[in-house]
Amino acid sequence: MNSMTQSTAAVDPDKRTPGRPRSARAEQAIIDAVLDLINENVAIEALSMEAVAAKAGVGKATIYRRWSSKEELIVDAAASLKLPVPDLVGESVRDDLVTLLTSMGPSASAQRREGVFSCLSSQVQRSPELQVWYMKVIEPRRERVREVLRRGVAEGVLRADLDVEVTLTVLSAPMTGRPIGGLQTQIDRVELAERVVDAVLDGARER
Amino acid sequence: MNSMTQSTAAVDPDKRTPGRPRSARAEQAIIDAVLDLINENVAIEALSMEAVAAKAGVGKATIYRRWSSKEELIVDAAASLKLPVPDLVGESVRDDLVTLLTSMGPSASAQRREGVFSCLSSQVQRSPELQVWYMKVIEPRRERVREVLRRGVAEGVLRADLDVEVTLTVLSAPMTGRPIGGLQTQIDRVELAERVVDAVLDGARER
Amino acid sequence: MNSMTQSTAAVDPDKRTPGRPRSARAEQAIIDAVLDLINENVAIEALSMEAVAAKAGVGKATIYRRWSSKEELIVDAAASLKLPVPDLVGESVRDDLVTLLTSMGPSASAQRREGVFSCLSSQVQRSPELQVWYMKVIEPRRERVREVLRRGVAEGVLRADLDVEVTLTVLSAPMTGRPIGGLQTQIDRVELAERVVDAVLDGARER
Amino acid sequence: MNSMTQSTAAVDPDKRTPGRPRSARAEQAIIDAVLDLINENVAIEALSMEAVAAKAGVGKATIYRRWSSKEELIVDAAASLKLPVPDLVGESVRDDLVTLLTSMGPSASAQRREGVFSCLSSQVQRSPELQVWYMKVIEPRRERVREVLRRGVAEGVLRADLDVEVTLTVLSAPMTGRPIGGLQTQIDRVELAERVVDAVLDGARER
DNA sequence: ACTTAAGCGAGACGGTACGTCCAGTCTTCGT
DNA sequence: ACGAAGACTGGACGTACCGTCTCGCTTAAGT
């Protein structure tokens, strides 16, 4: 994977590889081609390296020199879209959670991203390696949720015995999972986030 | 899709089509081949029609006569595994939910099923048509969850103003979603179900 | 082959086969379908049994019950077109030969026949059995040529030491062979026949 | 067709096409595979591209990149067998014609060639384009025959008013045509050539 | 300025799988 | 027991991509 190569290079910064350095233009053209193709091509997975190379005006070898598989390339393309984790006003646990959850999941932002994330999560199952990379993309947002939950506990707003991990999962799964057979098709992201947060905060049991 | 054909035929049961009827043996051999291949071949999506035909001892045309795409075939193969919705003892809302949730999701039962469901959910996004079929497979279990929730409300165990749909989503998403970056990799299905149910029932907010 | 079946049946004419007799309508429909398809479909050899069955409104088995291969069917279709051997006025050896040669070969008559014979001769190479059948179709005309040649010798019009077989071949080959790279594309059948006959009768050598 | 591509390239020999050049090894392996298969497989037309690719150790696409149809490939395979036009001693018109005719036609030389030419002539009817190519293979020998005939006329050995084209056809048709129902099955090539030449030179008519 | 080494676009390579079409056989009806 | 219909196995068709491998050509760093 690309980023690995960069890290490896960074280990010994004096040593410059001989020969012509890799073209940053080609690199960007490839990423753009991936995103464009995903964007046009709502039906994902018909995304072929051949098409990426053609669209980027690049030889296939130039792609494989940087990414050793289609999956890695797509992960990197997704990573390039990584949204800044939203700034939190920090006034209310509930509002912070709604903000964070809204920014999660496939439909989080620009249309272009939708397809990328949807495609990604379907590919990611396959190899543990890809999961690690995918995690790097989504984990920051998950960590912010944990922080908010812990802050809530500390402030006494949330239960002292809160199971933070399970609560995190319960909150995020409805946002990142596929919208099949559920609510997500009918209501918008913000409303979904609000209802999920409220349901999880308040609980179902009568007291 | 196969089941569609059957339904259509059922509309006019007197009228027999002329010619040799389709072989039930071939049909079953194809389904079995799919399940076997998925089973051996943990890495899904390397599942080829060519291999299915060979394994089933069937011509490719015989497959395409029944299913017009690989996706449809896999959905039908999955449907053939449809578990009986678990019987509920009906003593406690909490226990019933744990039972139902445990039976949900990709790792619900026999190993063979795991792969099928995992493969399935990654394919299903693509076409609205497939989603409809997938829904038919999973919806019964979702409906049972709704019933339990409504029963809980009626019995006064759950909040009177419970948002049943959101609660259903909040409960099921962690079970059916991909296990990426979450708890599912560390803990078993039953424990996950218990912790999710407890978290959702009790809520996070201090009261 | 069909005609064989008929001959076999003729051996014992009292004995009627049990069951429903074969439909003469189907038989004719199949032959007609072959001829029609060859006719439309100038590009021969794309003639499929499937298409014949469809065009004749007949099951494929009905064809295979009568003819055991595509080649046999085509030979029989050709035989059904067998022209009556032309009547000869018998006044002049030269004119009789021109008449006979004109009636030979693929372009001899109705357009429909052209394709059949062209197709036929390309298939016929393959099996000695087919050659026998093909011979039965063309041999009568060849025999008439031999008769005319022998008559010419008897009458003293042709050389006493004439090699009848070679002369027959030399006369007929230009008419039945494919028109590739030769004269046949430029001049019509009658003119070709006349020039061939004259050249062969008169010889090339100066005397 | 392949040779066309080569000729086109020859028009501007400086200009190299970009990309990896085509492998001459693959090209030869394909041609060899065709000839070998025809050779083993006396029953022609069962010759499949699949088998050619497998035997040549080549991807099917590599074949289709060079020849757009099976027919073209076979024509090129035949052309690769093109015999050198035989050297003529030039002493006698009759002997030269026998030599030339003997080298004509499907059974001219090595066994391998027989099948190729036989297969070829059955395919060639179909498209004018193929005929052009086939002509290129056979025309040189035909032209030599014309030359001999003209020389004979000039030397006074042959009739002054000889119809060269018809005589050429009359001589070559028995050699190249199918051996159906004729002499070719009984006598060998050389004898056939001699008898044909003698019959045509001397003529049939008594004088 | 001159090597040297790796980059570049292009496109051919051996392969695998696709979805379609036909061959020749088999199985079910209804006549 | 036939005829018509059509499903059956098998296998070739021609196409699209896979990931790799040349080509001839830049492009820089290090002589």
Side-chain angles (χ1 to χ4, degrees), chain A:
Chain A
M1 182 149 325
N2 192 28
S3 321
M4 281 176 177
T5 308
Q6 294 176 328
S7 327
T8 306
V11 168
D12 186 357
D14 313 336
K15 174 71 175 170
R16 298 290 258 93
T17 60
R20 177 177 176 176
R22 293 196 180 156
S23 153
R25 286 221 312 97
E27 193 131 345
Q28 193 54 51
I30 293 166
I31 293 285
D32 285 347
V34 171
L35 299 175
D36 286 357
L37 283 170
I38 287 173
N39 213 21
E40 322 173 343
N41 204 10
V42 186
I44 300 291
E45 200 115 333
L47 186 143
S48 74
M49 296 302 253
E50 216 101 342
V52 171
K55 178 137 210 158
V58 142
K60 277 195 289 177
T62 301
I63 303 179
Y64 283 103
R65 215 172 276 124
R66 294 170 161 79
W67 296 275
S68 66
S69 74
K70 202 190 319 195
E71 288 74 29
E72 290 186 1
L73 170 56
I74 294 174
V75 171
D76 257 22
S80 81
L81 295 177
K82 201 164 27 185
L83 284 181
V85 179
D87 285 334
L88 300 177
V89 182
E91 297 215 344
S92 132
V93 167
R94 192 257 182 196
D95 292 349
D96 284 355
L97 288 175
V98 169
T99 303
L100 282 167
L101 260 61
T102 302
S103 82
M104 267 182 167
S107 319
S109 63
Q111 217 194 348
R112 154 187 264 194
R113 297 165 213 271
E114 286 195 50
V116 183
F117 278 93
S118 153
C119 174
L120 212 58
S121 52
S122 74
Q123 307 264 13
V124 148
Q125 322 287 304
R126 311 240 285 261
S127 85
E129 196 193 338
L130 281 189
Q131 293 188 15
V132 171
W133 279 94
Y134 187 61
M135 286 265 305
K136 288 196 182 160
V137 177
I138 63 166
E139 192 56 29
R141 240 168 304 274
R142 293 173 60 91
E143 184 53 28
R144 293 298 290 267
V145 173
R146 282 192 202 90
E147 290 166 11
V148 173
L149 292 176
R150 286 192 218 105
R151 196 188 75 207
V153 172
E155 292 173 356
V157 179
L158 302 183
R159 315 162 59 97
D161 61 346
L162 186 71
D163 185 335
V164 172
E165 278 313 305
V166 166
T167 306
L168 165 59
T169 298
V170 161
L171 286 167
S172 61
M175 306 306 298
T176 57
R178 28 230 91 281
I180 292 161
L183 296 162
Q184 291 92 330
T185 49
Q186 292 115 29
I187 60 183
D188 73 23
R189 294 253 109 204
V190 178
E191 186 186 341
L192 177 63
E194 288 181 336
R195 289 172 66 179
V196 166
V197 169
D198 288 338
V200 171
L201 289 187
D202 295 337
R205 207 188 311 266
E206 187 61 77
R207 275 172 282 189

Side-chain angles (χ1 to χ4, degrees), chain B residues 112-161:
Chain B
R112 153 187 268 195
R113 297 164 211 275
E114 287 196 49
V116 184
F117 278 93
S118 151
C119 174
L120 212 57
S121 54
S122 73
Q123 306 267 14
V124 148
Q125 325 285 300
R126 312 239 285 260
S127 86
E129 196 192 339
L130 282 188
Q131 293 188 14
V132 171
W133 278 94
Y134 188 60
M135 285 264 307
K136 288 195 183 160
V137 176
I138 62 168
E139 191 57 27
R141 242 167 301 276
R142 295 172 60 90
E143 184 54 28
R144 293 300 287 269
V145 173
R146 282 193 201 91
E147 289 165 12
V148 172
L149 293 176
R150 286 195 217 102
R151 198 187 74 207
V153 171
E155 292 173 356
V157 180
L158 302 184
R159 318 164 53 98
D161 62 343

Side-chain angles (χ1 to χ4, degrees), chain D:
Chain D
M1 186 152 319
N2 191 30
S3 322
M4 281 177 175
T5 308
Q6 294 175 329
S7 329
T8 305
V11 168
D12 186 357
D14 313 337
K15 175 71 175 168
R16 297 287 261 91
T17 58
R20 177 175 176 175
R22 294 199 180 157
S23 152
R25 286 223 312 96
E27 193 131 345
Q28 193 55 51
I30 293 166
I31 294 285
D32 285 347
V34 171
L35 298 175
D36 286 357
L37 283 170
I38 287 174
N39 213 19
E40 315 172 349
N41 201 10
V42 186
I44 301 291
E45 199 112 336
L47 185 143
S48 74
M49 297 300 251
E50 216 101 342
V52 172
K55 179 138 210 158
V58 143
K60 276 195 289 177
T62 299
I63 303 179
Y64 283 104
R65 217 171 273 129
R66 294 170 161 78
W67 297 277
S68 66
S69 73
K70 205 192 311 197
E71 288 75 30
E72 291 187 1
L73 170 56
I74 295 174
V75 171
D76 256 23
S80 81
L81 296 176
K82 202 166 24 187
L83 283 181
V85 180
D87 285 335
L88 300 177
V89 181
E91 297 218 341
S92 134
V93 167
R94 192 258 183 198
D95 292 348
D96 285 356
L97 289 176
V98 169
T99 304
L100 282 167
L101 261 59
T102 302
S103 83
M104 265 183 171
S107 319
S109 62
Q111 215 194 349
R112 153 188 267 196
R113 297 165 213 272
E114 287 196 49
V116 183
F117 277 93
S118 152
C119 173
L120 211 57
S121 53
S122 74
Q123 306 267 13
V124 149
Q125 324 286 304
R126 312 240 282 262
S127 87
E129 196 192 339
L130 283 188
Q131 294 187 14
V132 171
W133 279 93
Y134 188 60
M135 286 265 306
K136 289 195 181 161
V137 177
I138 63 167
E139 191 55 30
R141 241 167 304 275
R142 294 173 60 91
E143 184 53 27
R144 293 299 288 268
V145 173
R146 281 192 202 91
E147 290 166 11
V148 173
L149 292 176
R150 287 194 218 102
R151 198 188 74 209
V153 172
E155 292 171 357
V157 178
L158 301 184
R159 318 164 54 99
D161 62 346
L162 186 72
D163 185 335
V164 173
E165 279 312 305
V166 165
T167 306
L168 165 60
T169 297
V170 161
L171 286 166
S172 62
M175 308 304 298
T176 57
R178 256 126 295 316
I180 292 159
L183 296 162
Q184 291 93 329
T185 49
Q186 292 111 32
I187 60 183
D188 75 23
R189 294 256 107 204
V190 178
E191 186 185 343
L192 176 63
E194 288 180 337
R195 290 173 67 180
V196 166
V197 168
D198 289 339
V200 171
L201 288 187
D202 296 337
R205 209 188 307 267
E206 186 61 78
R207 271 172 283 190

Side-chain angles (χ1 to χ4, degrees), chain B residues 68 99 139:
Chain B
S68 66
T99 304
E139 191 57 27

